[in-house]
Tab-separated table of all heavy atoms in Angstrom:
chain	number	residue	atom	x	y	z
A	1	TRP	N	99.372	99.872	95.709
A	1	TRP	CA	100.432	100.520	94.967
A	1	TRP	C	99.851	101.506	94.010
A	1	TRP	O	98.682	101.407	93.674
A	1	TRP	CB	101.344	99.501	94.325
A	1	TRP	CG	100.709	98.619	93.296
A	1	TRP	CD1	100.154	97.421	93.548
A	1	TRP	CD2	100.522	98.871	91.916
A	1	TRP	NE1	99.627	96.916	92.395
A	1	TRP	CE2	99.835	97.808	91.357
A	1	TRP	CE3	100.889	99.939	91.096
A	1	TRP	CZ2	99.505	97.705	90.023
A	1	TRP	CZ3	100.548	99.838	89.765
A	1	TRP	CH2	99.875	98.734	89.257
A	2	SER	N	100.612	102.409	93.479
A	2	SER	CA	100.108	103.362	92.481
A	2	SER	C	101.231	103.839	91.639
A	2	SER	O	102.402	103.775	91.980
A	2	SER	CB	99.426	104.515	93.193
A	2	SER	OG	100.319	105.275	93.927
A	3	SER	N	100.845	104.304	90.474
A	3	SER	CA	101.786	104.919	89.537
A	3	SER	C	101.026	105.991	88.725
A	3	SER	O	99.850	106.232	89.010
A	3	SER	CB	102.420	103.847	88.627
A	3	SER	OG	101.414	103.388	87.716
A	4	ASP	N	101.641	106.528	87.712
A	4	ASP	CA	100.916	107.488	86.922
A	4	ASP	C	99.927	106.799	85.976
A	4	ASP	O	99.053	107.466	85.393
A	4	ASP	CB	101.883	108.351	86.102
A	4	ASP	CG	102.748	107.537	85.141
A	4	ASP	OD1	102.883	106.322	85.351
A	4	ASP	OD2	103.276	108.132	84.163
A	5	VAL	N	99.983	105.502	85.834
A	5	VAL	CA	99.099	104.737	84.984
A	5	VAL	C	97.924	104.136	85.743
A	5	VAL	O	96.776	104.158	85.273
A	5	VAL	CB	99.871	103.616	84.227
A	5	VAL	CG1	98.911	102.805	83.347
A	5	VAL	CG2	100.980	104.233	83.376
A	6	CYS	N	98.158	103.628	86.906
A	6	CYS	CA	97.140	102.940	87.663
A	6	CYS	C	97.402	102.997	89.148
A	6	CYS	O	98.513	103.300	89.591
A	6	CYS	CB	96.929	101.521	87.182
A	6	CYS	SG	98.401	100.471	87.416
A	7	SER	N	96.340	102.668	89.924
A	7	SER	CA	96.520	102.587	91.357
A	7	SER	C	95.575	101.505	91.872
A	7	SER	O	94.541	101.211	91.237
A	7	SER	CB	96.254	103.918	92.030
A	7	SER	OG	94.908	104.264	91.884
A	8	SER	N	95.902	100.901	92.986
A	8	SER	CA	95.023	99.926	93.617
A	8	SER	C	95.050	100.145	95.100
A	8	SER	O	95.986	100.664	95.657
A	8	SER	CB	95.476	98.478	93.294
A	8	SER	OG	96.751	98.225	93.841
A	9	ASP	N	93.924	99.814	95.754
A	9	ASP	CA	93.762	99.960	97.145
A	9	ASP	C	93.052	98.758	97.752
A	9	ASP	O	92.240	98.135	97.048
A	9	ASP	CB	92.912	101.192	97.477
A	9	ASP	CG	93.561	102.495	97.053
A	9	ASP	OD1	94.675	102.757	97.530
A	9	ASP	OD2	92.995	103.198	96.207
A	10	LEU	N	93.372	98.414	98.968
A	10	LEU	CA	92.647	97.363	99.638
A	10	LEU	C	91.249	97.870	100.005
A	10	LEU	O	91.085	99.050	100.269
A	10	LEU	CB	93.393	96.962	100.922
A	10	LEU	CG	94.715	96.216	100.717
A	10	LEU	CD1	95.343	95.936	102.049
A	10	LEU	CD2	94.457	94.909	99.968
A	11	VAL	N	90.268	96.976	99.963
A	11	VAL	CA	88.900	97.351	100.251
A	11	VAL	C	88.382	96.477	101.405
A	11	VAL	O	88.597	95.272	101.422
A	11	VAL	CB	88.001	97.163	98.995
A	11	VAL	CG1	86.519	97.391	99.311
A	11	VAL	CG2	88.456	98.095	97.884
A	12	ASN	N	87.725	97.078	102.318
A	12	ASN	CA	87.116	96.392	103.481
A	12	ASN	C	85.986	95.499	102.972
A	12	ASN	O	85.048	95.966	102.335
A	12	ASN	CB	86.596	97.435	104.459
A	12	ASN	CG	86.172	96.818	105.757
A	12	ASN	OD1	85.324	95.929	105.737
A	12	ASN	ND2	86.694	97.358	106.851
A	13	ARG	N	86.044	94.176	103.197
A	13	ARG	CA	85.041	93.204	102.733
A	13	ARG	C	84.585	92.331	103.884
A	13	ARG	O	84.922	91.121	103.910
A	13	ARG	CB	85.594	92.350	101.593
A	13	ARG	CG	85.877	93.066	100.290
A	13	ARG	CD	84.615	93.533	99.595
A	13	ARG	NE	83.620	92.463	99.431
A	13	ARG	CZ	83.500	91.660	98.382
A	13	ARG	NH1	84.318	91.819	97.358
A	13	ARG	NH2	82.585	90.699	98.372
A	14	PRO	N	83.790	92.838	104.852
A	14	PRO	CA	83.324	92.017	105.934
A	14	PRO	C	82.464	90.861	105.490
A	14	PRO	O	82.383	89.841	106.118
A	14	PRO	CB	82.582	92.974	106.831
A	14	PRO	CG	82.286	94.155	105.963
A	14	PRO	CD	83.373	94.206	104.962
A	15	ASP	N	81.794	91.025	104.271
A	15	ASP	CA	80.955	89.935	103.792
A	15	ASP	C	81.776	88.707	103.456
A	15	ASP	O	81.372	87.574	103.709
A	15	ASP	CB	80.130	90.422	102.539
A	15	ASP	CG	81.033	90.947	101.449
A	15	ASP	OD1	82.083	91.609	101.741
A	15	ASP	OD2	80.699	90.707	100.248
A	16	VAL	N	82.944	88.920	102.888
A	16	VAL	CA	83.854	87.801	102.558
A	16	VAL	C	84.326	87.148	103.842
A	16	VAL	O	84.386	85.891	103.950
A	16	VAL	CB	85.032	88.256	101.697
A	16	VAL	CG1	86.051	87.146	101.487
A	16	VAL	CG2	84.533	88.787	100.369
A	17	CYS	N	84.664	87.950	104.802
A	17	CYS	CA	85.209	87.406	106.073
A	17	CYS	C	84.119	86.665	106.852
A	17	CYS	O	84.469	85.762	107.618
A	17	CYS	CB	85.810	88.551	106.905
A	17	CYS	SG	87.204	89.293	106.108
A	18	ALA	N	82.861	86.998	106.631
A	18	ALA	CA	81.768	86.263	107.286
A	18	ALA	C	81.691	84.867	106.725
A	18	ALA	O	81.360	83.910	107.456
A	18	ALA	CB	80.434	87.015	107.114
A	19	VAL	N	81.987	84.698	105.431
A	19	VAL	CA	81.900	83.365	104.777
A	19	VAL	C	83.176	82.612	105.075
A	19	VAL	O	83.165	81.364	105.219
A	19	VAL	CB	81.727	83.553	103.255
A	19	VAL	CG1	81.795	82.209	102.578
A	19	VAL	CG2	80.390	84.252	102.936
A	20	TYR	N	84.324	83.281	105.190
A	20	TYR	CA	85.581	82.656	105.430
A	20	TYR	C	86.178	83.211	106.714
A	20	TYR	O	87.189	83.932	106.681
A	20	TYR	CB	86.590	82.878	104.270
A	20	TYR	CG	86.091	82.333	102.969
A	20	TYR	CD1	85.522	83.168	101.975
A	20	TYR	CD2	86.174	80.993	102.703
A	20	TYR	CE1	85.113	82.669	100.787
A	20	TYR	CE2	85.742	80.456	101.483
A	20	TYR	CZ	85.195	81.341	100.527
A	20	TYR	OH	84.745	80.808	99.369
A	21	PRO	N	85.606	82.906	107.870
A	21	PRO	CA	86.108	83.459	109.128
A	21	PRO	C	87.565	83.045	109.413
A	21	PRO	O	87.995	81.953	109.075
A	21	PRO	CB	85.173	82.873	110.199
A	21	PRO	CG	84.513	81.702	109.552
A	21	PRO	CD	84.529	81.943	108.075
A	22	GLY	N	88.332	83.995	109.952
A	22	GLY	CA	89.716	83.697	110.292
A	22	GLY	C	90.694	83.812	109.170
A	22	GLY	O	91.869	83.546	109.326
A	23	ARG	N	90.212	84.279	107.976
A	23	ARG	CA	91.144	84.434	106.841
A	23	ARG	C	92.145	85.492	107.157
A	23	ARG	O	91.817	86.570	107.671
A	23	ARG	CB	90.428	84.857	105.548
A	23	ARG	CG	89.708	83.710	104.831
A	23	ARG	CD	90.603	82.652	104.366
A	23	ARG	NE	91.183	82.935	103.094
A	23	ARG	CZ	91.840	82.036	102.435
A	23	ARG	NH1	91.945	80.802	102.848
A	23	ARG	NH2	92.364	82.329	101.279
A	24	PRO	N	93.429	85.293	106.829
A	24	PRO	CA	94.423	86.321	107.001
A	24	PRO	C	94.071	87.573	106.223
A	24	PRO	O	93.584	87.473	105.109
A	24	PRO	CB	95.730	85.687	106.489
A	24	PRO	CG	95.468	84.235	106.552
A	24	PRO	CD	94.002	84.036	106.332
A	25	GLY	N	94.301	88.720	106.804
A	25	GLY	CA	94.026	89.989	106.104
A	25	GLY	C	92.628	90.553	106.303
A	25	GLY	O	92.357	91.667	105.892
A	26	CYS	N	91.709	89.755	106.857
A	26	CYS	CA	90.378	90.237	107.042
A	26	CYS	C	90.334	91.485	107.926
A	26	CYS	O	91.088	91.530	108.883
A	26	CYS	CB	89.438	89.170	107.608
A	26	CYS	SG	88.801	88.073	106.377
A	27	PRO	N	89.529	92.492	107.658
A	27	PRO	CA	88.533	92.526	106.594
A	27	PRO	C	89.022	93.127	105.271
A	27	PRO	O	88.279	93.258	104.319
A	27	PRO	CB	87.436	93.379	107.179
A	27	PRO	CG	88.201	94.392	107.993
A	27	PRO	CD	89.394	93.611	108.569
A	28	ASN	N	90.316	93.491	105.190
A	28	ASN	CA	90.819	94.157	104.003
A	28	ASN	C	91.270	93.111	102.972
A	28	ASN	O	92.442	93.021	102.605
A	28	ASN	CB	91.967	95.092	104.364
A	28	ASN	CG	91.529	96.211	105.228
A	28	ASN	OD1	90.473	96.781	104.986
A	28	ASN	ND2	92.240	96.475	106.294
A	29	VAL	N	90.282	92.385	102.396
A	29	VAL	CA	90.623	91.341	101.447
A	29	VAL	C	90.087	91.623	100.047
A	29	VAL	O	90.256	90.803	99.131
A	29	VAL	CB	90.095	89.950	101.923
A	29	VAL	CG1	90.818	89.533	103.196
A	29	VAL	CG2	88.581	90.007	102.183
A	30	GLY	N	89.453	92.759	99.815
A	30	GLY	CA	89.003	93.153	98.492
A	30	GLY	C	90.015	94.121	97.883
A	30	GLY	O	91.033	94.414	98.472
A	31	PHE	N	89.725	94.565	96.663
A	31	PHE	CA	90.608	95.538	96.036
A	31	PHE	C	89.795	96.467	95.142
A	31	PHE	O	88.727	96.168	94.716
A	31	PHE	CB	91.767	94.892	95.283
A	31	PHE	CG	91.316	94.265	93.971
A	31	PHE	CD1	91.460	95.009	92.786
A	31	PHE	CD2	90.810	93.030	93.907
A	31	PHE	CE1	91.066	94.484	91.581
A	31	PHE	CE2	90.411	92.471	92.686
A	31	PHE	CZ	90.565	93.195	91.543
A	32	SER	N	90.392	97.597	94.888
A	32	SER	CA	89.846	98.585	93.964
A	32	SER	C	90.936	98.931	92.961
A	32	SER	O	92.112	99.024	93.377
A	32	SER	CB	89.392	99.827	94.748
A	32	SER	OG	89.068	100.881	93.842
A	33	TYR	N	90.612	99.155	91.716
A	33	TYR	CA	91.618	99.425	90.698
A	33	TYR	C	91.165	100.565	89.810
A	33	TYR	O	90.026	100.564	89.327
A	33	TYR	CB	91.821	98.135	89.886
A	33	TYR	CG	92.841	98.244	88.776
A	33	TYR	CD1	94.167	98.141	89.043
A	33	TYR	CD2	92.466	98.456	87.465
A	33	TYR	CE1	95.123	98.191	88.056
A	33	TYR	CE2	93.408	98.562	86.449
A	33	TYR	CZ	94.727	98.433	86.719
A	33	TYR	OH	95.643	98.524	85.741
A	34	SER	N	91.989	101.535	89.590
A	34	SER	CA	91.736	102.638	88.717
A	34	SER	C	92.817	102.688	87.671
A	34	SER	O	93.989	102.554	87.939
A	34	SER	CB	91.732	103.980	89.460
A	34	SER	OG	90.695	103.965	90.424
A	35	LEU	N	92.418	102.896	86.416
A	35	LEU	CA	93.328	102.914	85.261
A	35	LEU	C	93.187	104.244	84.551
A	35	LEU	O	92.088	104.594	84.134
A	35	LEU	CB	93.086	101.742	84.354
A	35	LEU	CG	93.848	101.708	83.032
A	35	LEU	CD1	95.325	101.466	83.329
A	35	LEU	CD2	93.314	100.666	82.088
A	36	ASN	N	94.283	104.954	84.358
A	36	ASN	CA	94.281	106.174	83.564
A	36	ASN	C	94.579	105.790	82.136
A	36	ASN	O	95.746	105.715	81.763
A	36	ASN	CB	95.285	107.158	84.107
A	36	ASN	CG	95.293	108.447	83.306
A	36	ASN	OD1	94.576	108.644	82.324
A	36	ASN	ND2	96.169	109.368	83.730
A	37	ALA	N	93.554	105.500	81.312
A	37	ALA	CA	93.768	105.063	79.947
A	37	ALA	C	94.381	106.120	79.051
A	37	ALA	O	94.903	105.819	77.986
A	37	ALA	CB	92.433	104.620	79.369
A	38	ALA	N	94.378	107.371	79.469
A	38	ALA	CA	94.967	108.477	78.677
A	38	ALA	C	96.489	108.227	78.524
A	38	ALA	O	97.064	108.754	77.575
A	38	ALA	CB	94.697	109.810	79.312
A	39	THR	N	97.099	107.508	79.388
A	39	THR	CA	98.547	107.265	79.306
A	39	THR	C	98.883	106.090	78.432
A	39	THR	O	100.034	105.833	78.204
A	39	THR	CB	99.142	107.053	80.702
A	39	THR	OG1	98.549	105.884	81.263
A	39	THR	CG2	98.865	108.226	81.626
A	40	LEU	N	97.861	105.378	77.922
A	40	LEU	CA	98.083	104.177	77.133
A	40	LEU	C	97.985	104.495	75.667
A	40	LEU	O	97.264	105.394	75.240
A	40	LEU	CB	97.085	103.112	77.443
A	40	LEU	CG	97.069	102.591	78.897
A	40	LEU	CD1	95.959	101.577	79.049
A	40	LEU	CD2	98.429	101.962	79.268
A	41	ALA	N	98.719	103.824	74.835
A	41	ALA	CA	98.667	103.952	73.388
A	41	ALA	C	97.319	103.363	72.858
A	41	ALA	O	96.707	102.515	73.550
A	41	ALA	CB	99.831	103.219	72.747
A	42	SER	N	96.825	103.853	71.734
A	42	SER	CA	95.671	103.280	71.124
A	42	SER	C	95.835	101.815	70.839
A	42	SER	O	96.964	101.387	70.555
A	42	SER	CB	95.307	104.032	69.857
A	42	SER	OG	94.967	105.357	70.092
A	43	GLY	N	94.779	101.034	70.955
A	43	GLY	CA	94.863	99.631	70.622
A	43	GLY	C	94.488	98.789	71.807
A	43	GLY	O	94.104	99.252	72.876
A	44	PRO	N	94.610	97.478	71.679
A	44	PRO	CA	94.223	96.549	72.756
A	44	PRO	C	95.266	96.434	73.833
A	44	PRO	O	96.462	96.566	73.576
A	44	PRO	CB	94.101	95.192	72.013
A	44	PRO	CG	95.009	95.319	70.827
A	44	PRO	CD	94.984	96.773	70.448
A	45	HIS	N	94.826	96.275	75.033
A	45	HIS	CA	95.688	96.099	76.244
A	45	HIS	C	95.046	95.046	77.111
A	45	HIS	O	93.802	95.046	77.291
A	45	HIS	CB	95.808	97.429	77.023
A	45	HIS	CG	96.463	98.495	76.242
A	45	HIS	ND1	97.821	98.703	76.237
A	45	HIS	CD2	95.895	99.442	75.436
A	45	HIS	CE1	98.055	99.746	75.446
A	45	HIS	NE2	96.952	100.209	74.938
A	46	THR	N	95.835	94.201	77.674
A	46	THR	CA	95.329	93.124	78.579
A	46	THR	C	95.625	93.527	80.024
A	46	THR	O	96.742	93.898	80.358
A	46	THR	CB	95.991	91.775	78.296
A	46	THR	OG1	95.689	91.458	76.948
A	46	THR	CG2	95.446	90.685	79.227
A	47	ILE	N	94.565	93.440	80.871
A	47	ILE	CA	94.690	93.708	82.307
A	47	ILE	C	94.559	92.358	83.003
A	47	ILE	O	93.605	91.623	82.796
A	47	ILE	CB	93.637	94.680	82.802
A	47	ILE	CG1	93.781	96.005	82.102
A	47	ILE	CG2	93.685	94.816	84.328
A	47	ILE	CD1	92.605	96.938	82.339
A	48	THR	N	95.539	92.000	83.801
A	48	THR	CA	95.531	90.735	84.552
A	48	THR	C	95.618	91.014	86.045
A	48	THR	O	96.448	91.816	86.448
A	48	THR	CB	96.702	89.833	84.126
A	48	THR	OG1	96.624	89.598	82.714
A	48	THR	CG2	96.681	88.507	84.870
A	49	VAL	N	94.772	90.387	86.795
A	49	VAL	CA	94.792	90.450	88.259
A	49	VAL	C	95.110	89.108	88.778
A	49	VAL	O	94.561	88.102	88.392
A	49	VAL	CB	93.442	90.915	88.792
A	49	VAL	CG1	93.402	90.889	90.308
A	49	VAL	CG2	93.094	92.333	88.280
A	50	THR	N	96.056	89.021	89.709
A	50	THR	CA	96.460	87.782	90.349
A	50	THR	C	96.204	87.904	91.887
A	50	THR	O	96.677	88.817	92.486
A	50	THR	CB	97.906	87.439	90.120
A	50	THR	OG1	98.142	87.380	88.694
A	50	THR	CG2	98.292	86.131	90.754
A	51	ALA	N	95.421	86.949	92.387
A	51	ALA	CA	95.114	86.935	93.829
A	51	ALA	C	96.067	85.932	94.468
A	51	ALA	O	96.129	84.752	94.091
A	51	ALA	CB	93.682	86.506	94.086
A	52	THR	N	96.890	86.433	95.366
A	52	THR	CA	97.859	85.590	96.091
A	52	THR	C	97.475	85.562	97.523
A	52	THR	O	97.400	86.559	98.174
A	52	THR	CB	99.261	86.129	95.922
A	52	THR	OG1	99.565	86.255	94.545
A	52	THR	CG2	100.304	85.254	96.550
A	53	ASP	N	97.225	84.341	98.031
A	53	ASP	CA	96.895	84.175	99.463
A	53	ASP	C	97.344	82.802	99.959
A	53	ASP	O	98.237	82.253	99.295
A	53	ASP	CB	95.356	84.363	99.694
A	53	ASP	CG	94.506	83.395	98.882
A	53	ASP	OD1	95.057	82.344	98.403
A	53	ASP	OD2	93.315	83.673	98.747
A	54	SER	N	96.756	82.285	100.971
A	54	SER	CA	97.231	81.001	101.461
A	54	SER	C	96.783	79.817	100.595
A	54	SER	O	97.227	78.707	100.775
A	54	SER	CB	96.700	80.777	102.886
A	54	SER	OG	95.275	80.819	102.895
A	55	ALA	N	95.903	80.061	99.634
A	55	ALA	CA	95.522	78.999	98.686
A	55	ALA	C	96.586	78.875	97.622
A	55	ALA	O	97.159	79.864	97.183
A	55	ALA	CB	94.161	79.346	98.041
A	56	ASN	N	96.856	77.682	97.206
A	56	ASN	CA	97.854	77.448	96.137
A	56	ASN	C	97.197	76.698	95.027
A	56	ASN	O	96.468	75.755	95.258
A	56	ASN	CB	99.055	76.678	96.663
A	56	ASN	CG	99.916	77.589	97.542
A	56	ASN	OD1	100.213	78.680	97.143
A	56	ASN	ND2	100.309	77.093	98.709
A	57	PRO	N	97.438	76.958	93.743
A	57	PRO	CA	98.244	78.081	93.278
A	57	PRO	C	97.414	79.379	93.317
A	57	PRO	O	96.166	79.353	93.523
A	57	PRO	CB	98.521	77.691	91.831
A	57	PRO	CG	97.334	76.910	91.431
A	57	PRO	CD	96.916	76.132	92.705
A	58	PRO	N	98.030	80.539	93.103
A	58	PRO	CA	97.284	81.817	93.062
A	58	PRO	C	96.259	81.758	91.911
A	58	PRO	O	96.438	81.072	90.889
A	58	PRO	CB	98.364	82.856	92.746
A	58	PRO	CG	99.622	82.241	93.208
A	58	PRO	CD	99.447	80.744	92.950
A	59	ASP	N	95.170	82.531	92.089
A	59	ASP	CA	94.138	82.641	91.074
A	59	ASP	C	94.418	83.874	90.222
A	59	ASP	O	94.821	84.913	90.784
A	59	ASP	CB	92.735	82.707	91.678
A	59	ASP	CG	92.311	81.430	92.360
A	59	ASP	OD1	92.648	80.374	91.803
A	59	ASP	OD2	91.661	81.489	93.369
A	60	ALA	N	94.144	83.785	88.930
A	60	ALA	CA	94.335	84.951	88.049
A	60	ALA	C	93.146	85.072	87.115
A	60	ALA	O	92.499	84.104	86.760
A	60	ALA	CB	95.623	84.822	87.281
A	61	GLY	N	92.848	86.287	86.695
A	61	GLY	CA	91.850	86.568	85.760
A	61	GLY	C	92.336	87.727	84.848
A	61	GLY	O	93.054	88.594	85.277
A	62	SER	N	91.942	87.693	83.593
A	62	SER	CA	92.346	88.724	82.660
A	62	SER	C	91.188	89.233	81.841
A	62	SER	O	90.209	88.497	81.638
A	62	SER	CB	93.438	88.166	81.683
A	62	SER	OG	94.583	87.825	82.331
A	63	THR	N	91.309	90.477	81.366
A	63	THR	CA	90.336	91.040	80.395
A	63	THR	C	91.144	91.926	79.469
A	63	THR	O	92.210	92.393	79.813
A	63	THR	CB	89.221	91.790	81.134
A	63	THR	OG1	88.208	92.079	80.206
A	63	THR	CG2	89.780	93.098	81.771
A	64	THR	N	90.600	92.078	78.274
A	64	THR	CA	91.241	92.954	77.314
A	64	THR	C	90.389	94.188	77.105
A	64	THR	O	89.162	94.100	76.984
A	64	THR	CB	91.424	92.237	75.949
A	64	THR	OG1	92.266	91.105	76.156
A	64	THR	CG2	92.077	93.108	74.924
A	65	ILE	N	91.057	95.374	77.095
A	65	ILE	CA	90.386	96.604	76.798
A	65	ILE	C	90.977	97.164	75.520
A	65	ILE	O	92.066	96.810	75.178
A	65	ILE	CB	90.515	97.624	77.950
A	65	ILE	CG1	91.983	98.024	78.158
A	65	ILE	CG2	89.863	97.109	79.208
A	65	ILE	CD1	92.206	99.231	79.045
A	66	THR	N	90.209	98.010	74.829
A	66	THR	CA	90.728	98.636	73.584
A	66	THR	C	90.636	100.149	73.834
A	66	THR	O	89.550	100.695	74.128
A	66	THR	CB	89.916	98.242	72.386
A	66	THR	OG1	89.989	96.852	72.208
A	66	THR	CG2	90.456	98.931	71.134
A	67	VAL	N	91.789	100.794	73.722
A	67	VAL	CA	91.884	102.258	73.870
A	67	VAL	C	91.706	102.872	72.480
A	67	VAL	O	92.419	102.492	71.557
A	67	VAL	CB	93.221	102.677	74.500
A	67	VAL	CG1	93.326	104.183	74.543
A	67	VAL	CG2	93.341	102.042	75.897
A	68	GLN	N	90.767	103.797	72.363
A	68	GLN	CA	90.569	104.503	71.094
A	68	GLN	C	90.785	105.981	71.362
A	68	GLN	O	90.196	106.540	72.247
A	68	GLN	CB	89.174	104.278	70.561
A	68	GLN	CG	88.894	102.838	70.246
A	68	GLN	CD	87.478	102.606	69.793
A	68	GLN	OE1	86.587	103.348	70.121
A	68	GLN	NE2	87.268	101.542	69.004
A	69	LYS	N	91.667	106.587	70.555
A	69	LYS	CA	91.975	108.011	70.721
A	69	LYS	C	91.653	108.720	69.438
A	69	LYS	O	91.671	108.220	68.398
A	69	LYS	CB	93.428	108.216	71.126
A	69	LYS	CG	93.723	107.669	72.475
A	69	LYS	CD	95.157	108.010	72.900
A	69	LYS	CE	95.409	107.436	74.290
A	69	LYS	NZ	96.716	107.800	74.777
């Protein structure tokens, strides 16, 4: 998906599929993320990524960035 703030794309990851053969979505199981920080206000912002697949519950990870203008 994409917007004026960020975009993401599936990434070909044959290395992951070699470890987990038969996983749904292989080989496009990675992702790439670009963020246009110019559209964000100054200050801290939290970015959270959630991986949803056949494993339950979904896995999530977050990081905080600080925009300085």
Side-chain angles (χ1 to χ4, degrees):
W1 60 270
S2 66
S3 71
D4 61 339
V5 177
C6 61
S7 66
S8 65
D9 296 300
L10 292 175
V11 174
N12 189 305
R13 291 292 309 268
D15 57 323
V16 173
C17 296
V19 176
Y20 300 101
R23 282 299 274 193
C26 276
N28 297 315
V29 294
F31 75 95
S32 170
Y33 179 82
S34 297
L35 174 68
N36 180 0
T39 63
L40 299 177
S42 294
H45 298 269
T46 301
I47 298 170
T48 302
V49 174
T50 303
T52 304
D53 59 17
S54 59
N56 287 313
D59 292 322
S62 296
T63 191
T64 299
I65 62 167
T66 301
V67 175
Q68 297 177 334
K69 295 185 178 184

